[in-house]
Amino acid sequence: LFRSEENDVSHQVLALSWIARGHEAYGRLIDKVRKLISSPDTSVREAAVRALSRPGAFDSSQAAKAIAPALNDAEVEVRVSALLSISRFGPAAAAAVAYLRPLLLVADEYSEQLGGHLSPREFACGALGDIGSAAKEAIPDIIRVIESPVNPHQRPPASCVRALGEIGDSRPEVIDTLLFALGNTEINMRYQAAIALGKLPDRKSTRLNSSHL
């Protein structure tokens, strides 16, 4: 079903679905499945993402690296599948950081498979936080989301504040941003900012005053 000369979409989707529902490791198929992430057919690309994201099917780092380009796919359902999948890999998804950064500019997207709206920005911040220190290059983007939202009527997600703590970089602009978040009217934003400040290695990050409480 994965032969390069086989262009039958239904066969490709069937094979990928078999992997997604299986209970075995399929490491030897990683290259073939990776190629299908670039298929001209949307259903094949989406099925490839799901197959790669099944726990235990492939090496986590290799699977996350293969899924990463799908985060910027032209079709929303492929992007959504990739975004939901990449969140499962944690630090193994370090290769996805460059693909997650553009999603910080997308506040809302409608997905038919979910039957509703989701915030790519919120999921991207969550994934970047789970990736941890390897996501340091995204810090300037996360700071902009928190301090200068594209839409002033939409609050930045608390997951972006949490991400700064999980990434664990105590550069001054990070601390200043978290102190800024402590003044947010949203209680979850303030809570996540306090937790994030406590996780930073630089103890100067605890310089709070009564205006932050």
Side-chain angles (χ1 to χ4, degrees):
L1 294 178
F2 287 110
R3 290 177 300 178
S4 59
E5 67 270 23
E6 177 62 77
N7 294 314
D8 188 323
V9 168
S10 63
H11 278 70
Q12 291 176 340
V13 171
L14 177 63
L16 291 165
S17 298
W18 174 67
I19 291 175
R21 294 195 304 268
H23 302 282
E24 301 177 29
Y26 299 101
R28 67 189 184 281
L29 298 177
I30 184 72
D31 290 333
K32 294 180 179 180
V33 178
R34 183 188 291 118
K35 289 179 181 179
L36 294 179
I37 287 282
S38 302
S39 168
D41 187 88
T42 301
S43 62
V44 172
R45 297 199 303 277
E46 188 176 345
V49 168
R50 292 178 177 172
L52 286 163
S53 66
R54 186 179 69 74
F58 303 100
D59 173 79
S60 295
S61 295
Q62 290 184 346
K65 185 176 181 179
I67 290 172
L71 289 165
N72 302 144
D73 195 272
E75 294 294 329
V76 61
E77 300 304 334
V78 178
R79 294 197 303 272
V80 168
S81 291
L83 189 54
L84 296 177
S85 296
I86 211 72
S87 303
R88 306 172 186 172
F89 290 98
V97 172
Y99 297 92
L100 287 165
R101 292 175 67 180
L103 297 181
L104 295 175
L105 298 175
V106 186
D108 182 79
E109 196 142 55
Y110 179 79
S111 166
E112 289 188 5
Q113 65 173 298
L114 295 180
H117 292 260
L118 83 162
S119 169
R121 174 182 299 164
E122 181 173 358
F123 278 88
C125 277
L128 289 167
D130 291 339
I131 289 169
S133 60
K136 287 183 179 180
E137 67 184 73
I139 286 177
D141 304 297
I142 296 172
I143 289 176
R144 278 192 292 272
V145 170
I146 296 171
E147 295 190 348
S148 305
V150 176
N151 185 343
H153 300 293
Q154 291 182 327
R155 294 189 181 95
S159 62
C160 291
V161 176
R162 170 186 166 273
L164 291 179
E166 296 297 330
I167 292 171
D169 189 308
S170 58
R171 66 185 74 174
E173 56 266 39
V174 170
I175 296 172
D176 289 342
T177 298
L178 292 173
L179 291 174
F180 170 81
L182 279 176
N184 195 279
T185 57
E186 183 68 35
I187 187 170
N188 196 32
M189 287 281 286
R190 299 198 302 272
Y191 173 77
Q192 292 296 341
I195 295 296
L197 284 165
K199 289 184 176 182
L200 295 181
D202 182 358
R203 300 313 298 169
K204 293 179 181 178
S205 65
T206 59
R207 64 177 194 275
L208 306 180
N209 57 52
S210 59
S211 65
H212 297 122
L213 303 176

